[in-house]
Amino acid sequence: MPSNITPTNMRLSGERKIQLEEIAQLTGAGSLSAAIGELIKLARTQGMVDHSIPGVTINSFDDGLAIAFDDASPTGFSHDGVEALAATIRDYVQGTAEGGVCCNMDHDYSVSRRGSSFKVAIPMNSANPKTWAADIALEFADLIEAECEKAKNA
């Protein structure tokens, strides 16, 4: 089933737009959306919101994680698989990945660049991959690594 999460246009006062632009500049965020992401990170460090991404479900197990997008069945990842997926996402976002698409047969995922966004498919042949802006793709990488670390230390 496709995600019901759709992009939205928000109306901001001119003053709020200027404040968001200042936050974007100070944090190195590349867009107003990324600046909002920085504010969400701050709220997370203050314990105001959980570290999660709408439409992403992560369950931890002794030997790895099960990750699902939207209502799809979860895909299991070993700790090595989680680390490989996170590293691949970072390589694509940072522009250091070779090739247009990474299809990891060992861990059953694919990552590719789509214009200024990044497509992550788990499993690799998923009918409903996620296409995210760079800041959300990196947040997903951070999130799965943090969950993997918790699972290892449980």
Side-chain angles (χ1 to χ4, degrees):
M1 176 189 306
S3 172
N4 62 356
I5 300 171
T6 57
T8 187
N9 291 321
M10 295 181 358
R11 293 189 54 83
L12 297 172
S13 69
E15 295 85 359
R16 290 289 185 233
K17 180 178 180 267
I18 290 169
Q19 289 172 325
L20 275 176
E21 289 170 340
E22 290 173 356
I23 291 168
Q25 184 177 15
L26 290 170
T27 62
S31 66
L32 295 183
S33 176
I36 292 169
E38 291 296 322
L39 292 174
I40 291 169
K41 281 183 193 175
L42 179 61
R44 194 170 47 243
T45 63
Q46 298 296 313
M48 297 167 61
V49 296
D50 290 331
H51 193 185
S52 64
I53 299 173
V56 176
T57 303
I58 301 171
N59 294 305
S60 299
F61 299 96
D62 292 341
D63 58 348
L65 303 179
I67 303 170
F69 292 159
D70 302 316
D71 294 327
S73 296
T75 299
F77 287 89
S78 65
H79 297 296
D80 289 343
V82 171
E83 292 166 4
L85 176 56
T88 301
I89 291 168
R90 286 196 178 90
D91 287 346
Y92 272 85
V93 171
Q94 295 166 356
T96 58
E98 293 185 21
V101 178
C102 171
C103 294
N104 188 308
M105 306 293 276
D106 293 332
H107 301 296
D108 199 15
Y109 68 80
S110 69
V111 176
S112 59
R113 185 176 190 99
R114 293 285 180 257
S116 62
S117 298
F118 301 88
K119 182 173 133 180
V120 178
I122 55 171
M124 181 182 331
N125 63 352
S126 172
N128 297 308
K130 286 291 191 180
T131 301
W132 288 313
D135 65 306
I136 298 174
L138 289 173
E139 183 176 343
F140 175 69
D142 291 345
L143 178 60
I144 62 174
E145 280 185 332
E147 289 298 320
C148 186
E149 197 59 35
K150 278 196 248 178
K152 284 181 187 178
N153 295 324

